[in-house]
Amino acid sequence: MSLCIRLWTTQLFLTPLVLPSFVTGQEITEDDALRRLAEESPQVRALRAKPEIARAETKAWSLAPNPNITYNREDSALTRDAFLLVQQSLPITGRRGLMRRAGGAAVEAASAETNHALLQLRSDLRMTFYELLLAQEREGALHKGMPELQEVVR
């Protein structure tokens, strides 16, 4: 996942460098890049939805089981009998409470995983941002020193 994000952010920031020189890139600060990541990234939206998905999935863990209803009709020796049977299991072992606590822990774990992944994304973005900034500074230094190098070559 980290490699994919680094490639994506590298492509996002390095694209202006590989385009023809007549195309000018826009200047972006680290804060702008982080803001755009938080607002526009589909991966961030998907990560933020994970705790809610876990909450919805674990909600059913603590629900009471559904009742069973059975209807039977018997005909024998000119006698008709109809039976209606309703069954409801009653959990008296405390399992529902344990499942409710387990669901809460699963939601907290999903939330912690989401926070970790978001921090990792921000960290990867910052790393790529400063790698790009370093590359730009090197390019600027090379362009600045180019006339001196041409003088030395002559």
Side-chain angles (χ1 to χ4, degrees):
M1 181 169 103
S2 172
L3 180 62
C4 179
I5 298 304
R6 291 187 85 189
L7 289 174
W8 178 80
T9 52
T10 303
Q11 180 182 8
L12 175 71
F13 289 112
L14 292 180
T15 301
L17 294 178
V18 296
L19 290 176
S21 61
F22 62 89
V23 176
T24 59
Q26 71 183 47
E27 291 185 16
I28 187 168
T29 64
E30 178 187 4
D31 292 333
D32 291 338
L34 289 170
R35 181 188 50 76
R36 286 183 64 187
L37 176 72
E39 292 174 359
E40 299 173 9
S41 173
Q43 188 171 13
V44 169
R45 281 188 228 127
L47 284 171
R48 287 188 178 147
K50 281 187 178 183
E52 292 304 317
I53 292 170
R55 183 174 288 113
E57 288 176 351
T58 60
K59 192 174 187 178
W61 292 0
S62 62
L63 295 177
N66 289 331
N68 293 326
I69 299 175
T70 307
Y71 177 75
N72 289 328
R73 196 169 111 180
E74 295 179 1
D75 286 331
S76 63
L78 301 174
T79 305
R80 272 193 187 158
D81 292 326
F83 300 99
L84 181 65
L85 177 63
V86 178
Q87 295 177 331
Q88 173 69 49
S89 47
L90 301 173
I92 57 172
T93 61
R95 184 171 189 261
R96 285 179 53 202
L98 293 174
M99 292 302 285
R100 189 176 298 123
R101 286 180 35 206
V107 170
E108 287 179 22
S111 179
E113 287 174 1
T114 296
N115 289 338
H116 177 263
L118 288 173
L119 286 173
Q120 188 67 40
L121 279 173
R122 289 184 195 118
S123 174
D124 290 345
L125 178 72
R126 283 187 174 114
M127 180 97 114
T128 305
F129 181 84
Y130 285 110
E131 286 173 357
L132 175 65
L133 188 60
L134 176 64
Q136 288 176 341
E137 291 295 323
R138 284 181 181 162
E139 181 187 19
L142 287 174
H143 282 295
K144 185 178 178 182
M146 192 63 73
E148 295 172 7
L149 288 174
Q150 288 175 347
E151 285 295 321
V152 170
V153 170
R154 289 184 196 172

